[in-house]
Amino acid sequence: MSGSSNIVAMKKIVQQLRFEANINRVKVSQAAADLQQFCIQNALQDPLLTGVSSSTNPFRTQKVCSFL
Amino acid sequence: MGEMEQMKKEAEALKTQIEAARKAVHDTDMASAASGVAPAPRVQLKTRRNLKGHLAKIYAMHWSTDNRLMVSASQDGKLLIWDSHSGNKVNAVPLKSSWVMTCAYAPSGNLVASGGLDNMCTVYNLKTPVIKTVKELDAHTGYLSCARFLSDTEVLTASGDTTCALWDLETGKQKTVFLNHVGDCMCLSLSPDMNSFVSGACDSLAKLWDIRDGQCKQTFLGHTSDINAISFYPGGNAIITGSDDCTCKMYDLRADQELITYQDAALNSGVTSLALSMSGRLIFAGYDDFNCNIWDSLKGEKVGVLSGHDNRVSCTGVPPDGMCVCTGSWDSFLKIWN
């Protein structure tokens, strides 16, 4: 690989790192609190958390039908 | 100092700066922050459907937005479309190449896609009287590990050639190529607002991308091996990853760092797949040890396990309405649990 393409590749790496270094970061305490709030607010609508009653469960165990 | 030397120095300095910026906002950890949250209930799910039909290992599955139909892909060379409520097979799509690694259902329900070692993403129309191949998206120089439809006209792919790409289905050409990973891309997940996506790769990094301008916006470190599975958290502010290093991790996008690692000393199999319950509270992670472990995403504790497969769990999926979880396995069966 030629020296100049190494330099081009390295320039891109530095450019990308500069971009990533400049973002705003939110405090973990705030981020964690927001995630928790989201989960808790949506918990009652989460069928896998609350359980599904057999009357409303589209996947309830099927009764076997046989042709007579 | 030569230009190369100077740039290497600057790169190291920037990495140190990023590390420091992440530390500066790390005023607590997730486990302490979640100490006040009530534990998730012990989750005991039953197998409601055992879908038999594939003749070889299942590699992928994807739910339709109608919460009822799903597509699965197997190296028996077929895509099967299932009606999960009745357990019946609605359609079978024979594949030109049996080495399939991914499948996807379009949000409209009109199209499905598959791809694998043929390096292509093939799109099929399910609504024509006979299922037809609509397009073969051929430009990747490595295997297709994951595909997802944004609409009936746009598809996102992840490839072993280390790139991801956004394709125009009308022209069959790549609109945007996402370049930055240095290892095979293994998985991708679209953000809820569809403006960005995250990818996981064999370079053990997860990256956040802007779909429209192709820019890599953030890079998440922490895993020590290939990232095989990735998913956006329902709110869109966090992502969950699963890796060959036997752990899953949660990264917060706004804090730009890892918040929690889901691991257990007794678990020494790689994570192959993952799916989240509707609120994000539960993570269903498929492992090489034939099980699917259920994690409390906030507290980092294991709260259940789905056992029943006789081989590696290769794929998992929760439909949009959150009513169940589907697991697919190398044992050739799909199971639906709730």
Side-chain angles (χ1 to χ4, degrees):
Chain A
M1 205 183 359
S2 74
S4 61
S5 65
N6 271 345
I7 292 201
V8 168
M10 199 61 204
K11 271 196 177 137
K12 287 202 174 130
I13 291 175
V14 170
Q15 233 170 11
Q16 179 63 34
L17 283 168
R18 272 188 205 144
F19 184 96
E20 290 183 20
N22 279 334
I23 65 167
N24 282 325
R25 291 170 179 84
V26 161
K27 286 205 190 298
V28 169
S29 52
Q30 180 66 59
D34 291 349
L35 279 174
Q36 279 168 34
Q37 197 183 34
F38 183 91
C39 266
I40 290 166
Q41 268 173 354
N42 288 285
L44 290 177
Q45 277 81 48
D46 187 339
L48 289 168
L49 258 188
T50 59
V52 189
S53 73
S54 41
S55 52
T56 54
N57 188 357
F59 303 103
R60 67 184 164 279
T61 320
Q62 293 160 311
K63 299 224 187 316
V64 175
C65 300
S66 38
F67 288 100
L68 300 171
Chain B
M1 202 190 294
E3 194 181 1
M4 194 63 173
E5 271 305 300
Q6 234 173 342
M7 287 200 291
K8 279 187 183 167
K9 267 200 114 189
E10 187 179 357
E12 286 314 304
L14 285 165
K15 285 182 192 169
T16 307
Q17 188 186 324
I18 291 172
E19 227 345 85
R22 284 174 174 157
K23 271 215 171 86
V25 296
H26 192 90
D27 57 348
T28 184
D29 62 68
M30 190 67 170
S32 324
S35 55
V37 176
R42 186 89 205 151
V43 181
Q44 278 169 318
L45 305 181
K46 296 202 172 96
T47 307
R48 301 293 177 187
R49 295 285 182 273
N50 210 3
L51 303 178
K52 301 182 206 217
H54 281 300
L55 304 172
K57 294 175 173 167
I58 292 172
Y59 274 79
M61 64 80 46
H62 194 217
W63 283 96
S64 166
T65 51
D66 73 359
N67 300 304
R68 182 172 179 138
L69 297 177
M70 32 177 263
V71 59
S72 60
S74 162
Q75 293 203 346
D76 63 6
K78 288 214 166 42
L79 292 185
L80 290 178
I81 314 289
W82 305 83
D83 174 340
S84 62
H85 290 184
S86 64
N88 292 334
K89 298 176 237 339
V90 170
N91 270 316
V93 185
L95 303 174
K96 258 199 210 165
S97 161
S98 63
W99 305 112
V100 64
M101 294 174 68
T102 184
C103 60
Y105 225 121
S108 65
N110 295 329
L111 309 171
V112 288
S114 67
L117 294 184
D118 58 356
N119 298 0
M120 290 195 312
C121 178
T122 309
V123 179
Y124 310 87
N125 188 334
L126 294 178
K127 301 296 180 164
T128 44
V130 175
I131 296 175
K132 272 169 45 170
T133 299
V134 163
K135 263 304 182 286
E136 283 178 342
L137 306 176
D138 190 1
H140 279 302
T141 54
Y143 58 83
L144 203 83
S145 52
C146 193
R148 285 293 178 258
F149 286 90
L150 275 79
S151 65
D152 278 6
T153 53
E154 287 182 311
V155 171
L156 253 183
T157 54
S159 170
D161 67 9
T162 77
T163 73
C164 296
L166 176 68
W167 302 76
D168 179 331
L169 282 185
E170 274 152 11
T171 61
K173 301 270 180 259
Q174 291 179 330
K175 287 208 282 207
T176 313
V177 182
F178 303 90
L179 300 161
N180 209 268
H181 278 297
V182 295
D184 302 13
C185 292
M186 298 302 291
C187 51
L188 68 89
S189 174
L190 264 174
S191 66
D193 69 8
M194 308 257 278
N195 291 327
S196 49
F197 73 96
V198 284
S199 59
C202 291
D203 56 13
S204 67
L205 303 173
K207 287 180 182 283
L208 173 72
W209 308 86
D210 181 312
I211 288 188
R212 297 303 151 194
D213 68 20
Q215 170 80 44
C216 168
K217 299 199 292 188
Q218 284 171 258
T219 299
F220 301 97
L221 296 79
H223 278 297
T224 53
S225 187
D226 307 356
I227 295 178
N228 298 316
I230 199 165
S231 178
F232 258 94
Y233 211 73
N237 283 334
I239 61 171
I240 311 284
T241 53
S243 165
D244 271 348
D245 67 13
C246 314
T247 73
C248 294
K249 287 178 186 289
M250 175 196 279
Y251 295 94
D252 187 279
L253 302 186
R254 298 179 311 155
D256 186 44
Q257 59 190 276
E258 178 186 325
L259 288 192
I260 215 173
T261 297
Y262 307 95
Q263 67 190 343
D264 188 306
L267 275 176
N268 47 24
S269 312
V271 179
T272 60
S273 51
L274 65 89
L276 300 178
S277 73
M278 243 182 87
S279 65
R281 187 67 192 264
L282 301 175
I283 301 170
F284 297 91
Y287 289 73
D288 285 342
D289 70 359
F290 309 178
N291 288 328
C292 178
N293 289 309
I294 311 175
W295 298 90
D296 176 339
S297 66
L298 297 182
K299 288 189 172 276
E301 296 159 351
K302 210 171 89 156
V303 295
V305 65
L306 303 176
S307 310
H309 282 294
D310 295 323
N311 205 323
R312 175 187 291 197
V313 173
S314 54
C315 49
T316 49
V318 171
D321 66 2
M323 284 297 274
C324 65
V325 53
C326 178
T327 53
S329 167
W330 279 9
D331 68 8
S332 80
F333 300 117
L334 295 144
K335 288 178 189 288
I336 298 201
W337 316 70
N338 71 8

